[in-house]
Amino acid sequence: MNAVRRTAAALAAAKAVIGSVTVGTAVIGSAVVGSAAPALAATPSPSPSVAIPAGLYGTADPTYDGVWRQSLALIAQDAVGVVPADKAVTWLAGQQCANGAFGAFRADAGKPCAADTNSTAVAVQALAALGGHDTATDNALAWLKSVQNKDGGWGYTAGGPSDANSTSVVIGAFATAGTKPQDIRKGAGSGSSGKSPYDALLALALPCTGADAGAFAYQPDKKGALTANADATAAAVLGALGEPITGSGTEGTARTETPSACAKTADPERAALNGAGYLAKALAKDGHLTSALPGADDQPDYGNTADAVVALTSAGLADQAKPAVRWLEANSAKWAAQAGPAAYAQLILAATDAGADPRDFGGQNLVDQLGATGPTPKKTSDAQATDTATPATKSADGDDGTPKAVWAIGGGLLIGALIGATLMFRGRRRQQP
């Protein structure tokens, strides 16, 4: 979920518990649900309204993203072999509410807890990755199951309308616990099989017609219409594949056959690949996704571009992610420095999934930069500190030397070929014992 939408959702959750909430109009005025986030939406506040806890990553006001950014930081560190400081883990675990859920931030654990699904699901993924927190994650998952909507999905708050981002991050939480998304069904066992999270995501998939073929919407509008949203699509690709927020990287990808690029389907895996095809085409022109605030010029969306890289590599379209990786290497340093730990974490996950080196990403050591935003890690592993990027990854042309203009013209046909091959390979993997 992008920074603007998450902030707006967190505000709604907080208001439900403590009444009216006042924030700067620069943020709340841009919180248009379904729109993409601005490039610098996560810029740290110059004057946090609460004291920054010693174990927390980042110096920005944590009121609306403390648990989210802490969880992402710990997940990213674990992905590159870094053992975080005990107080960083303790802080996150201490944010858990009595009912098992997590909220965006609790300065005082004795006050009412404004729980939300996103903070809960990402905290589960972080604590599960680190290990040793089974009771906490079991309680959190039980809460998530208790607030599942009838359509099989989740909204940001308990009982809120299901959206693609929330449903997908919750799927990731259950995936880390070894629970298959198709087995999480609201109302199952009461005379009805109930609906699964996959049902909720499929209901948000756009048809295979028009320029937005295969994309996902964040939510339907008031009339029930679906509007393509790249942020939601990147999240939904992972969700429909049953993957956590880290994705699955390029492991086991095979590309050999050539069917169509987008196909009408009731299969979540096929829908995920339709979404990945949409993202690949969206990235083909400039190497990045674009966002805009109402009345403002379009601007690059660094965070969603990083998320799209994770989605594409997990879907078997790693080659189509390479232009975005190159673009992020060349352009993301200033954004990450301003946006803080969550941004560094997103870039680390994108780099590791795409086979790039997060310790030499466009000349930046993302691992050290993330570590510098919080408590000094207990251990830093250099086991993954080798440059895995091929020369083609760093080339200004296409991955095989083909100029970008040629890729932009023929990319749609190639995407179709790779999607078909990926489907065949994933089908074979499911059949293996």
Side-chain angles (χ1 to χ4, degrees):
M1 178 178 285
N2 66 50
V4 168
R5 186 179 300 126
R6 187 169 57 252
T7 299
L11 280 167
K15 185 175 181 179
V17 174
I18 63 174
S20 62
V21 179
T22 302
V23 297
T25 55
V27 173
I28 199 65
S30 63
V32 181
V33 172
S35 67
L40 299 181
T43 300
S45 166
S47 55
S49 60
V50 299
I52 304 298
L56 180 64
Y57 282 84
T59 58
D61 190 327
T63 301
Y64 306 113
D65 77 336
V67 166
W68 183 268
R69 78 193 194 207
Q70 187 82 349
S71 298
L72 281 186
L74 298 180
I75 289 169
Q77 288 186 324
D78 179 75
V80 293
V82 172
V83 180
D86 286 340
K87 62 182 177 181
V89 181
T90 299
W91 182 87
L92 178 60
Q95 287 289 297
Q96 191 164 28
C97 310
N99 62 0
F102 286 77
F105 175 74
R106 292 205 297 166
D108 183 349
K111 292 186 177 180
C113 185
D116 70 80
T117 61
N118 287 228
S119 298
T120 303
V122 75
V124 166
Q125 295 186 54
L127 295 174
L130 297 172
H133 300 274
D134 290 352
T135 299
T137 56
D138 287 348
N139 290 340
L141 291 170
W143 181 81
L144 287 169
K145 182 67 176 71
S146 74
V147 298
Q148 185 179 19
N149 291 332
K150 290 182 179 180
D151 63 6
W154 288 266
Y156 185 86
T157 54
S162 296
D163 66 76
N165 296 71
S166 298
T167 299
S168 297
V169 74
V170 173
I171 287 175
F174 280 101
T176 61
T179 302
K180 296 180 180 179
Q182 61 266 32
D183 294 336
I184 311 165
R185 294 181 177 273
K186 183 70 173 181
S190 58
S192 172
S193 60
K195 290 189 175 183
S196 79
Y198 286 154
D199 294 312
L201 287 181
L202 287 170
L204 295 171
L206 273 70
C208 287
T209 57
D212 297 327
F216 285 81
Y218 174 69
Q219 286 176 330
D221 65 18
K222 293 181 179 180
K223 296 182 179 180
L226 300 177
T227 301
N229 183 291
D231 173 31
T233 300
V237 167
L238 290 182
L241 291 173
E243 298 285 357
I245 203 167
T246 55
S248 59
T250 57
E251 179 182 357
T253 301
R255 306 174 177 89
T256 56
E257 297 200 354
T258 315
S260 61
C262 184
K264 182 179 180 180
T265 183
D267 174 49
E269 195 165 278
R270 173 70 243 198
L273 296 175
N274 289 344
Y278 167 83
L279 290 174
K281 286 185 284 187
L283 290 169
K285 180 180 179 182
D286 300 315
H288 64 81
L289 298 176
T290 302
S291 65
L293 292 174
D297 293 335
D298 289 353
Q299 55 184 313
D301 194 322
Y302 303 85
N304 287 345
T305 299
D307 291 345
V309 169
V310 175
L312 286 173
T313 55
S314 298
L317 299 181
D319 283 347
Q320 281 58 55
K322 288 180 179 178
V325 175
R326 290 195 297 267
W327 184 87
L328 287 168
E329 285 182 311
N331 297 283
S332 64
K334 183 177 179 180
W335 166 74
Q338 291 177 308
Y344 286 124
Q346 286 177 283
L347 292 174
I348 287 172
L349 295 179
T352 54
D353 271 28
D357 184 0
R359 291 177 171 85
D360 184 14
F361 193 76
Q364 304 293 312
N365 188 326
L366 301 174
V367 178
D368 285 353
Q369 289 171 329
L370 171 59
T373 68
T376 303
K378 292 171 63 176
K379 177 183 177 182
T380 301
S381 171
D382 292 326
Q384 299 179 21
T386 56
D387 188 356
T388 56
T390 63
T393 304
K394 299 180 178 180
S395 167
D397 288 328
D399 302 323
D400 59 354
T402 304
K404 289 182 180 179
V406 175
W407 156 242
I409 295 171
L413 297 175
L414 180 58
I415 291 166
L418 299 185
I419 286 176
T422 302
L423 279 171
M424 180 188 71
F425 178 78
R426 284 183 173 271
R428 290 176 177 172
R429 288 187 66 184
R430 288 198 301 268
Q431 296 171 14
Q432 293 175 355

